[in-house]
Amino acid sequence: AIVCRTQDGMVEKVEELHWVREKHPILGWPLIRGVIVFLDSMVKGMKALTYSADLLPEDEQEEPGKIDLWIEKHFGEEKAKDIIIGTAVVLGIALSIVLFILIPTLLAGLTKGFIHSPVVRNLFEGLLRIVIFLLYLWGVAHMKDVERMFAYHGAEHKTIFCYEKGLPLTVENVRIQPRHHPRCGTSFLFVVIFVSILVSSVVFGIWPITNVWLRTLAHLILLPLVVGITYEFNRWVGRHVQDSKLAQFLTAPGLWLQNFTTNEPDDSMIECA
């Protein structure tokens, strides 16, 4: 379900949920399902943002670029949207690979003259990945439009807490809920970085790859496994965070990061969420 606030009031778009595992059961298996859910979430997220952008008043919408017009002319309006969304998802993944895999690997490669231990180099590479991720979140969180979007993100978390507690979904009940949720995508990405450090430490400990491009390729090959492990981890902590001290300890860094990616919403945002 997508809900947007427009000048004319709330607009809803509700679609029936279809699990891909219903047609292909293997895609619902542990480790595999995490990759599928991750890609599905990216596609749905881009579709939601595109849908909300289409609801802007015409005088506030950006003029379509030459490439957009060319795609629409040759493929039709609906097909063009799918192509543009697909391209945005691919570019988003490509940007993530460059920022969080290629650049740390390149920078760590510059230390091979004085860091000779594969374990130390891998830890240094992982530290660079964490620093870049934190700087990226800090920079994005200070963009005006993103600040507003992160307030809606906070409203979403509060609403989910209210729903999970079985309380009536009213503004008053939602407002008092926490805005940090253990199953948030921010926590997911943070855990991905830590799991990638652990997995690559094992792999590069057994096969010490020093070539920058081969290491980058190895990271890409390992990425589905890393995402799969992280998804299963998030499912576990999400189920046990209320009754397990270990789960609470493991979720603490991801919850802290949500100080960057969630803001306190106003009542209109809570109504929408």
Side-chain angles (χ1 to χ4, degrees), residues 184-258:
C184 173
T186 307
S187 300
F188 180 84
L189 291 176
F190 193 59
V191 177
V192 161
I193 293 174
F194 270 97
V195 172
S196 71
I197 294 171
L198 295 174
V199 171
S200 57
S201 293
V202 173
V203 172
F204 295 142
I206 299 171
W207 298 288
I209 302 170
T210 56
N211 181 276
V212 169
W213 301 107
L214 286 178
R215 279 180 76 92
T216 301
L217 179 61
H219 279 303
L220 291 176
I221 293 171
L222 291 170
L223 192 57
L225 175 62
V226 169
V227 170
I229 293 172
T230 303
Y231 178 77
E232 301 305 324
F233 169 84
N234 262 32
R235 280 174 63 95
W236 182 82
V237 296
R239 288 196 301 267
H240 298 283
V241 72
Q242 300 297 329
D243 52 38
S244 168
K245 294 292 183 184
L246 176 62
Q248 291 167 14
F249 173 77
L250 292 172
T251 56
L255 292 174
W256 174 80
L257 268 183
Q258 290 174 41

Side-chain angles (χ1 to χ4, degrees), residues 116-181:
H116 303 291
S117 168
V119 175
V120 175
R121 176 180 172 178
N122 195 67
L123 290 174
F124 179 67
E125 189 177 310
L127 179 63
L128 287 173
R129 199 169 290 136
I130 292 170
V131 170
I132 291 171
F133 180 63
L134 292 175
L135 289 173
Y136 171 80
L137 280 186
W138 179 83
V140 167
H142 286 78
M143 296 169 64
K144 186 178 178 181
D145 286 342
V146 176
E147 279 185 9
R148 180 170 172 78
M149 185 174 73
F150 283 172
Y152 273 100
H153 189 193
E156 174 209 359
H157 282 189
K158 286 171 172 282
T159 304
I160 291 171
F161 267 121
C162 187
Y163 174 77
E164 289 176 338
K165 290 177 180 178
L167 299 172
L169 288 175
T170 64
V171 172
E172 291 73 25
N173 285 340
V174 171
R175 191 189 298 119
I176 60 175
Q177 303 301 325
R179 76 171 201 262
H180 304 87
H181 199 284

